[in-house]
Amino acid sequence: MTGYAFISPFIIGFLAFTLIPMFVSLYLSFTSYNLFTPPRWVGLDNFEKMFTADPKYWNSVKVTFLYVVIGVPFRLMFALFIAMLLNTKSRMVGTYRTLYYLPSIIGGSVAVSIMWRNIFSNEGVINTLLGALGAQPVQWFGDPNAALVMLIALSVWQFGSSMLIFLAGLKNIPYEMYEASSVDGAGPVRKFFSITLPLLSPIILFNLIMQTISAFMTFVPAYIISKGEGGPMDGTMLYSLYLFRQAFMFNNMGYASAMAWVMLIMIAILTAVLFMTSKFWVFYETERGR
Amino acid sequence: MKRKGLLIIVALLLLLTTACGGSGGGESAKGSGDEPVTLRIAWWGSDKRHEYTQQVIDLYKKDHPNVKIDVEYASFDDYWKKLAPQAAANQLPDIMQMDISYISQYAQNGQLADLTSLLNSTIQVGDVAESVLKTGVIQEKQYGIPTGVNVLGYQYVPEMAQKAGVEIPASWTWDEYKEIAKKAGGNGFYFDSSMAADIFFNYYLRTKGLSLYNKEGTALGYDDDQLFIDFFGGLADVMKAGGAPTPDVNSQTKGILEESQIVKGKQVGEWQWSNQYVALQQVVNKPMKMAAMFGPDMEKGIYMQPTMYWSVASSSKVKEEAAKFIDFYTNNVEANKLIKGERGVPISAKIKDAVASELNEATKQVFDFVAEMEPKASPMSPPPPVGSPEVIATLTDYVEQINFGKMTPQDGAAKFRSDANSILSNNK
């Protein structure tokens, strides 16, 4: 009982700020609520509108899926690549690790998003580089696809947290394995595919799921880069940004709650699918290689 | 031992409830001369506005030592994000700055106090034009007191006009505007950065005797989609001819005055409200001028728009005291010498004259321009109805697609009509 007393701050906080609001938002998702007048029960209207009468909603789903499906694999590949580079015994390696981790620490922040805007502006660094290489400058803010590429680039650049986890995983692979394979005449490529990847697969699964969930909920970069509007032509209208606009700009709280619950279900399904596929490619040492 | 734990829980719970219940002091409902009163005031704006508003508040506190004033300010977007939940929790500030596109929503949902009975008792409005005061009336009740008035116009740098090889006539038509803008574009200069879709389309409709919303706010106020096609098609043509920056250039500099094309010396002028002139002129840092809106029937189109309103929350326990502050803001000469017309030209004729001598050159131009336009202006259309922020966002979306060439004006007109009417039909 005394124990409960000591953790009561957390319990009260969890009830007041997480659990109860969740159920309230579930109730609100079946209502029409504009914050001013009491919620009006409308049954499944919100969901019906979402799935049948709101092209902007489907566009936001499409944009978000593109962002996740393209962004996350690139991010993980990048993270693994850098982790392998940093898994050496040279001096200064600690400094490099810190440097590579920095972007993720400042990652979700407003300042980075503003900097990103400027890098990709018409007269920005990226276009200057492209010009120097003899390519045509790209109008990053004039084309929905280019704007999405810019957002994805930002997410790939913030690979630090998954990199650290990969690094820990790489350190766990016994050095004897590599030595033994060298004796058997395996080159670096063979080593990577036959030893590193299989032994790292549980870590890859963990990273994949965590990154997918967080990518789904991305909000700040899209909000800042598009100045809250999701433009150009809804090219950066991520799901959470559209939800935010419905909730706080148009005061459609009921509709926004319904969107939030659909998002939860989508993420749950996606995570379940990833788990199901895992038994085909994730290798646990205890299983003796199936 | 078990009992002890229970006691701790109870104690903690008690602590929590008292912590939550500590807000909302027991102010008297009257607020007579010298009892201590606390007022909450909220507004949105720029740093400059926060600065002088704080000075005005300090001035007020000097005269009324019994009044304590808490301020809350933010940028426009953040302001509305904060205000809506406060309204839901019945905790709106006593005095709020209200925007024309939101006032209907707040008024019709019973969030704002009716100030009719306080006019000329607490809030002196003897020197205010009836038509101006009326802009704060919704469904026969005075929900807002305008902070000042605004009028639309074209604000430009004469030196740039010369460079671009164009002349700005004293009066012009829509067709002449398009010609001139395209000519500037042909000479390698932007004429403007296009026009804010909802504001100027509404102006264009007004010149034809119509408006963007119908009187009841239940549907659009025009039937002929050709008007949409002419107006936005025309703006897209100007853009194609280089008379205005493409939308991607515009989107990059949106909201950052220092980076706009006009400051970089690539653009002749801007279409905007008169109270935005001073800030623009300061950043451009060259002599500027203001020209009237394009016609035909410019007189039908222009109107004195309240820049914004002061409103009092219906939940406020100190409405009388709140009204006193609004009166001070409206009628105190010293205060208005600090304000310098930043929230629009003062609505009181007496104040306008009293501060005229103290103004800098740019502000003087604004006062003169508004004075010149006032006799020509027609009454304002009713404030935009509930749901207008969503209608405006929809319109902006389609106009963007038209400007990018991804949608024809014909399609945009039809799509906008069906979307807007479905949003507005909730008001029936």
Side-chain angles (χ1 to χ4, degrees):
Chain A
M1 204 61 206
T2 321
Y4 280 114
F6 277 110
I7 59 166
S8 63
F10 166 77
I11 293 177
I12 292 168
F14 177 73
L15 285 177
F17 298 112
T18 306
L19 202 65
I20 296 173
M22 263 178 82
F23 282 106
V24 172
S25 93
L26 182 59
Y27 159 71
L28 285 179
S29 66
F30 298 104
T31 64
S32 167
Y33 179 46
N34 68 358
L35 282 176
F36 296 101
T37 46
R40 192 166 46 83
W41 185 265
V42 294
L44 292 172
D45 278 11
N46 287 330
F47 296 93
E48 195 183 331
K49 182 185 163 191
M50 209 183 303
F51 291 127
T52 60
D54 191 356
K56 274 182 95 92
Y57 172 81
W58 285 111
N59 174 68
S60 79
V61 171
K62 189 190 88 183
V63 168
T64 310
F65 264 92
L66 281 173
Y67 179 80
V68 171
V69 170
I70 300 172
V72 171
F74 267 106
R75 195 178 188 170
L76 292 184
M77 278 191 263
F78 214 74
L80 181 56
F81 176 69
I82 303 288
M84 308 257 304
L85 284 184
L86 293 179
N87 192 24
T88 54
K89 292 206 166 40
S90 70
R91 287 176 313 155
M92 298 283 292
V93 87
T95 318
Y96 283 118
R97 279 176 200 167
T98 315
L99 284 178
Y100 279 115
Y101 188 52
L102 267 183
S104 326
I105 299 180
I106 48 178
S109 74
V110 171
V112 170
S113 306
I114 290 177
M115 180 192 83
W116 215 252
R117 266 190 78 88
N118 292 337
I119 289 178
F120 281 89
S121 74
N122 278 359
E123 294 97 26
V125 179
I126 299 280
N127 277 347
T128 316
L129 274 176
L130 285 174
L133 295 172
Q136 282 295 315
V138 178
Q139 296 191 327
W140 297 99
F141 293 89
D143 181 290
N145 299 330
L148 187 60
V149 168
M150 173 171 68
L151 266 191
I152 291 171
L154 176 58
S155 86
V156 171
W157 181 65
Q158 295 163 350
F159 56 84
S161 57
S162 23
M163 176 194 83
L164 281 189
I165 295 167
F166 277 139
L167 201 56
L170 288 171
K171 293 246 178 280
N172 262 331
I173 300 176
Y175 189 65
E176 292 78 19
M177 288 227 182
Y178 290 116
E179 270 188 330
S181 65
S182 294
V183 173
D184 292 341
V189 176
R190 183 69 202 267
K191 278 183 192 171
F192 177 75
F193 283 105
S194 300
I195 299 172
T196 313
L197 269 190
L199 288 178
L200 212 55
S201 54
I203 313 275
I204 295 176
L205 176 69
F206 173 81
N207 268 338
L208 184 65
I209 287 174
M210 296 312 275
Q211 296 296 333
T212 303
I213 292 174
S214 73
F216 236 100
M217 301 195 297
T218 307
F219 171 76
V220 172
Y223 179 74
I224 303 290
I225 282 175
S226 73
K227 304 227 163 114
E229 292 182 359
M233 283 182 289
D234 295 343
T236 55
M237 185 70 85
L238 292 178
Y239 199 105
S240 53
L241 178 56
Y242 187 52
L243 190 154
F244 170 87
R245 280 172 70 82
Q246 285 290 351
F248 293 102
M249 295 192 62
F250 311 146
N251 288 348
N252 297 331
M253 286 292 163
Y255 191 64
S257 298
M259 277 185 71
W261 276 88
V262 172
M263 183 174 176
L264 179 77
I265 292 163
M266 277 185 190
I267 292 179
I269 291 173
L270 208 70
T271 311
V273 168
L274 286 177
F275 262 115
M276 276 190 246
T277 60
S278 73
K279 66 168 182 278
F280 300 110
W281 58 272
V282 176
F283 171 80
Y284 293 102
E285 270 185 282
T286 48
E287 295 170 16
R288 296 257 162 249
R290 247 182 291 137
Chain B
M1 200 62 216
K2 266 198 176 157
R3 298 249 328 252
K4 203 171 169 189
L6 206 68
L7 271 176
I8 295 178
I9 292 182
V10 170
L12 273 170
L13 280 172
L14 275 174
L15 209 87
L16 207 78
T17 50
T18 49
C20 293
S23 59
E27 276 116 4
S28 75
K30 276 213 190 77
S32 64
D34 40 14
E35 284 171 38
V37 181
T38 304
L39 284 177
R40 273 171 67 213
I41 302 185
W43 68 86
W44 73 85
S46 58
D47 283 348
K48 194 175 132 197
R49 186 177 294 166
H50 305 329
E51 227 168 279
Y52 78 75
T53 308
Q54 191 58 60
Q55 289 170 346
V56 171
I57 288 168
D58 292 342
L59 196 65
Y60 184 80
K61 287 203 291 206
K62 226 188 271 168
D63 290 359
H64 307 77
N66 60 317
V67 179
K68 188 172 162 302
I69 297 182
D70 297 332
V71 299
E72 297 169 19
Y73 49 80
S75 70
F76 186 83
D77 284 350
D78 289 339
Y79 180 83
W80 298 106
K81 272 188 318 229
K82 270 171 43 182
L83 214 62
Q86 286 180 341
N90 227 353
Q91 290 181 335
L92 282 174
D94 299 299
I95 305 174
M96 301 158 263
Q97 194 172 292
M98 258 295 147
D99 182 66
I100 193 159
S101 60
Y102 282 91
I103 192 166
S104 299
Q105 189 170 20
Y106 278 77
Q108 288 174 21
N109 285 308
Q111 300 291 334
L112 305 182
D114 177 11
L115 303 173
T116 313
S117 61
L118 298 173
L119 293 181
N120 287 332
S121 62
T122 311
I123 306 173
Q124 296 303 326
V125 288
D127 306 312
V128 182
E130 187 61 31
S131 60
V132 171
L133 203 56
K134 259 208 138 104
T135 58
V137 173
I138 294 166
Q139 297 173 340
E140 325 289 301
K141 296 193 174 92
Q142 188 84 40
Y143 285 116
I145 306 290
T147 61
V149 288
N150 257 344
V151 72
L152 288 172
Y154 180 65
Q155 305 164 10
Y156 68 102
V157 187
E159 186 193 319
M160 292 296 308
Q162 217 170 2
K163 271 190 197 162
V166 293
E167 266 187 48
I168 317 294
S171 75
W172 43 354
T173 64
W174 168 239
D175 292 328
E176 282 167 345
Y177 151 70
K178 285 187 292 189
E179 286 305 307
I180 293 170
K182 285 174 187 167
K183 188 176 164 191
N187 294 337
F189 286 92
Y190 299 130
F191 187 74
D192 54 41
S193 59
S194 204
M195 303 184 191
D198 58 305
I199 298 168
F200 288 90
F201 185 42
N202 187 39
Y203 167 84
Y204 182 75
L205 291 169
R206 282 175 54 95
T207 61
K208 316 271 181 216
L210 304 157
S211 68
L212 187 52
Y213 306 103
N214 68 5
K215 266 199 196 61
E216 302 75 30
T218 51
L220 291 177
Y222 66 100
D223 292 328
D224 184 4
D225 278 347
Q226 194 54 42
L227 292 161
F228 183 108
I229 296 162
D230 289 347
F231 184 72
F232 290 113
L235 288 182
D237 288 346
V238 167
M239 210 173 266
K240 270 200 209 83
T246 47
D248 60 303
V249 176
N250 267 340
S251 83
Q252 280 183 52
T253 54
K254 189 189 138 214
I256 315 170
L257 211 50
E258 289 74 11
E259 288 184 12
S260 56
Q261 303 299 319
I262 187 167
V263 174
K264 289 181 182 166
K266 296 178 186 170
Q267 188 180 312
V268 180
E270 287 281 8
W271 297 95
Q272 56 180 17
W273 292 108
S274 54
N275 76 312
Q276 296 168 295
Y277 177 79
V278 177
L280 179 65
Q281 196 276 328
Q282 263 176 356
V283 180
V284 171
N285 210 359
K286 285 183 183 148
M288 287 184 66
K289 273 191 174 164
M290 300 170 94
M293 287 299 296
F294 55 83
D297 292 324
M298 185 265 284
E299 288 79 6
K300 273 207 278 183
I302 57 164
Y303 54 97
M304 293 287 131
Q305 199 227 28
T307 317
M308 53 205 70
Y309 308 93
W310 288 121
S311 293
V312 176
S314 59
S315 58
S316 168
K317 296 189 178 64
V318 284
K319 294 190 180 71
E320 184 76 24
E321 287 291 334
K324 270 191 206 166
F325 178 83
I326 295 176
D327 176 64
F328 177 84
Y329 189 97
T330 311
N331 294 309
N332 183 289
V333 176
E334 289 310 309
N336 277 280
K337 281 181 182 168
L338 296 167
I339 299 163
K340 297 192 183 85
E342 196 272 342
R343 281 189 176 91
V345 174
I347 57 174
S348 151
K350 215 190 267 175
I351 292 293
K352 222 183 320 191
D353 297 337
V355 296
S357 59
E358 306 243 340
L359 302 174
N360 64 16
E361 188 50 42
T363 317
K364 221 182 253 133
Q365 279 179 296
V366 175
F367 274 48
D368 292 348
F369 183 72
V370 173
E372 180 192 344
M373 291 297 151
E374 195 159 14
K376 299 176 183 170
S378 309
M380 190 177 91
S381 326
V386 178
S388 63
E390 197 170 351
V391 174
I392 293 168
T394 310
L395 177 64
T396 313
D397 264 2
Y398 288 139
V399 171
E400 186 186 34
Q401 299 199 34
I402 292 167
N403 288 341
F404 269 121
K406 302 271 175 197
M407 190 187 263
T408 62
Q410 285 76 358
D411 286 352
K415 282 203 161 110
F416 171 63
R417 175 175 299 282
S418 76
D419 284 5
N421 283 343
S422 89
I423 294 164
L424 295 170
S425 64
N426 294 333
N427 297 334
K428 277 177 187 155

